[in-house]
Amino acid sequence: MKKVVLDMMDRRPMWAMPPWVVDEIRAALPAGWTLTVIEEESDGSGDGAARVSPAVMAEIGDAEVYLGFGIPAELLEAGPDLRWVHSGAAGVGSSLTPQMLDSEVVFTNSKGVHGPPMAETVSGMILYFARGLDFAVAGMAQSRWLKEPYYRAESPLREISESTVGIIGFGGIGQEVASRVAPMGARVLGLRRSGLGEWESWIEPAR
């Protein structure tokens, strides 16, 4: 029997797997495959916990697939039959160990899934400060309606349509941010590293 080890029980309720995830993965497996679910809490923040817990190590020895948060070198060494490892964490830097780079194991991550929610947060923050909502919140804390900050000559209030938004790191998240602020009229400047280690620029003119 071929085996998949699922190690994504995130400790944060918002990020925890709903029950249907296990059911759908199990239903999608081909005949002759089994799914082992690690019930211990993990952590998918940043590059992920990259756990080497006893429960994981006890199951990885004969597994061909591992789904977790981060891929530690010890896991690769303990899983000689591994063919595919997947990290659900946002980053992959800590998983790119010499063992991983020298391995023939296919390494994937959930690229793109964090783009829309993070871009919405960034857009909200831009509007928060551009429209002076920080002044309103400060006034609310004092039970006052503070009008003066909005009237000063040096008031930082801006219209998005008259602004330039600079995005350093124009990957999936950066492009999602651009897709939200450009329709509001902002001029977008994007900068990202190419595969050759060089920087490439991208410009979306204001509308």
Side-chain angles (χ1 to χ4, degrees), residues 15-116:
W15 290 92
M17 290 188 303
W20 57 261
V21 170
V22 174
D23 295 336
E24 291 205 4
I25 292 177
R26 185 170 280 123
L29 291 177
W33 284 76
T34 62
L35 177 66
T36 298
V37 181
I38 304 299
E39 299 291 348
E40 297 177 1
E41 288 187 345
S42 190
D43 188 341
S45 58
D47 283 2
R51 297 198 304 154
V52 289
S53 71
V56 173
M57 298 301 279
E59 296 292 346
I60 204 67
D62 59 346
E64 292 200 19
V65 179
Y66 173 77
L67 313 174
F69 295 120
I71 314 299
E74 295 91 330
L75 187 144
L76 292 175
E77 294 168 352
D81 296 330
L82 284 171
R83 297 294 177 265
W84 172 34
V85 293
H86 176 83
S87 176
V92 298
S94 63
S95 294
L96 299 178
T97 60
Q99 290 86 343
M100 175 63 75
L101 297 176
D102 290 340
S103 171
E104 295 184 359
V105 175
V106 175
F107 177 35
T108 59
N109 73 323
S110 302
K111 179 180 179 180
V113 299
H114 302 287

